[in-house]
Amino acid sequence: MSQLKCIGVLTSGGDAPGMNAALRAVTRCAIYNGIEVKAIYRGYKGLISGEIIPFKTQNVSNIIQQGGTIIKTARCAEFATKEGRQIAYDNLKKENIDALVVIGGNGTFTGARIFAQEYNFPIVGVPGTIDNDLNGTDSTIGYDTALNTIIDAVDKIRDTASSHERLFLIEVMGRDAGFLALNGAIASGAEAAVIPEIKTGVNQLEQLIQNGFRKSKNSSIVLVSESEGGAMAIAEKLRKEHPEYNLHVTVLGHIQRGGSPSAYDRILATRFGAAAIEALLDGQRNVMVGIDNDEIVYVPFNKAIKSEKKLDSNLLSILAMASI
Ligand code: F6P
């Protein structure tokens, strides 16, 4: 893309640890290649309200280790309207921004795809979400850190679970995807995971609990994905059938989105940021940067957001075998 003089960069949707590392890489790789950078605060909301600030290399100093996003983030209903997108486009023109790098998840890329088509505007996406629910990339920025936060919390809860001989249902995030619940369960040595991709009826769960909690173990941990009522709903049903269970629920909540990014997420974010600029320089547009077997790939927005990302169902059997 020979006309690339200035890019805009924003973070949007739920924050994820490593977004700052991505912002740093995008900013510095762009400047390294002679491209001006403008940071758009508060995602699409700031694009519409015109919160746009030129960034130099110093603006992204000392942020690689910080969780959250220094340029803030938001979920923006106005960008879902034609009128909102028109204002956004006018602001991009006013600011002489030739292309956008958007760091976010499903909602961010859905908005980007519509906008890019409507205005024939070049956009490259960087996957930043703890949910790991984008198709075409093995991992998203923030997922590894969130997994580490989950296992740290579960390790602590396990101390109480085993001391008091309790059964804990621990609810984790992931929206409609079970990656955090399933891999969190494997990594923390939990007995089971309840995930949206593979339906586990309360009866099946009872069976699992009877086999573990009742048979050979005094305590038990089940990770439950937040979708479909989450851990509270399951606990209610289980308590009705088994008032004898010493059952407790912990909802981990937003603790999973915070904290300093892991080494893996910092490296991934830096590679993604550099790849986003490379893509724009190569004239690519409307693609998400991804990683596949440790190689950078470019995935069209359509593919990244449309189809459900496959979760390896073998992992559930591995979890079951490893937790007897
Ligand atoms: O997409 C990231 C995520 O943390 C999901 O796991 C969760 O469902 C959602 O965002 C929560 O969003 P909010 O912080 O806006 O309530």
Side-chain angles (χ1 to χ4, degrees):
M1 202 194 182
S2 55
Q3 297 305 314
L4 190 61
K5 292 200 181 83
C6 173
I7 61 149
V9 57
L10 59 82
T11 50
S12 159
D15 65 324
M19 277 185 162
N20 280 326
L23 171 68
R24 172 180 177 272
V26 166
T27 304
R28 292 200 170 159
C29 295
I31 293 171
Y32 180 88
N33 283 285
I35 303 163
E36 211 187 312
V37 177
K38 292 188 176 173
I40 298 154
Y41 278 66
R42 298 178 176 78
Y44 295 128
K45 208 170 163 199
L47 188 54
I48 292 170
S49 60
E51 285 185 87
I52 303 172
I53 292 169
F55 257 30
K56 302 287 174 227
T57 59
Q58 296 87 334
N59 289 97
V60 291
S61 292
N62 201 17
I63 65 167
I64 196 167
Q65 77 284 18
Q66 287 179 35
T69 160
I70 61 157
I71 55 171
K72 316 294 177 194
T73 184
R75 302 193 195 275
C76 177
E78 210 184 338
F79 197 67
T81 68
K82 252 188 172 316
E83 297 73 25
R85 292 193 295 275
Q86 180 65 55
I87 301 171
Y89 181 72
D90 293 344
N91 280 336
L92 286 171
K93 288 285 114 188
K94 197 167 87 193
E95 292 284 343
N96 293 316
I97 293 173
D98 306 312
L100 271 181
V101 176
V102 296
I103 306 168
N106 254 300
T108 306
F109 299 155
T110 303
R113 183 178 57 97
I114 297 168
F115 184 80
Q117 274 168 3
E118 240 168 27
Y119 292 97
N120 190 23
F121 197 86
I123 307 185
V124 169
V126 172
T129 165
I130 63 163
D131 300 342
N132 196 31
D133 60 347
L134 287 160
N135 209 30
T137 185
D138 291 340
S139 191
T140 56
I141 298 168
Y143 172 58
D144 180 68
T145 306
L147 268 181
N148 280 296
T149 302
I150 289 170
I151 64 168
D152 186 47
V154 176
D155 287 351
K156 288 182 174 123
I157 293 168
R158 187 180 287 287
D159 290 343
T160 289
S162 65
S163 302
H164 286 264
E165 303 186 303
R166 287 175 178 171
L167 162 62
F168 269 87
L169 298 187
I170 303 175
E171 183 179 306
V172 299
M173 281 186 168
R175 205 181 288 274
D176 303 316
F179 293 95
L180 286 172
L182 182 51
N183 284 316
I186 290 177
S188 61
E191 275 64 38
V194 179
I195 55 172
E197 291 85 349
I198 298 159
K199 299 280 170 226
T200 313
V202 171
N203 291 347
Q204 272 169 286
L205 192 58
E206 260 177 70
Q207 205 56 47
L208 283 166
I209 292 164
Q210 298 287 14
N211 290 345
F213 185 57
R214 288 288 167 196
K215 221 163 124 197
S216 58
K217 296 180 182 180
N218 295 330
S219 64
S220 202
I221 303 238
V222 177
L223 260 61
V224 180
S225 196
E226 66 178 327
S227 61
E228 293 164 64
M232 293 292 186
I234 294 177
E236 214 170 288
K237 287 182 199 151
L238 275 175
R239 277 193 189 113
K240 267 191 202 136
E241 296 296 318
H242 294 278
E244 76 281 12
Y245 286 177
N246 193 351
L247 175 59
H248 288 255
V249 173
T250 303
V251 179
L252 293 188
H254 287 83
I255 190 176
Q256 296 162 91
R257 288 229 301 254
S260 182
S262 64
Y264 180 84
D265 276 332
R266 295 182 198 195
I267 295 165
L268 187 70
T270 305
R271 288 180 71 184
F272 278 171
I277 298 304
E278 209 178 300
L280 286 172
L281 286 168
D282 283 350
Q284 293 211 59
R285 42 168 66 202
N286 313 332
V287 291
M288 176 193 82
V289 176
I291 192 143
D292 181 5
N293 274 324
D294 209 34
E295 297 239 345
I296 291 292
V297 290
Y298 297 100
V299 188
F301 283 145
N302 269 343
K303 192 178 161 213
I305 56 186
K306 250 196 184 149
S307 38
E308 261 188 14
K309 183 170 176 175
K310 289 225 162 26
L311 184 146
D312 182 357
S313 52
N314 277 335
L315 292 175
L316 262 186
S317 332
I318 293 171
L319 174 65
M321 285 191 290
S323 63
I324 55 169

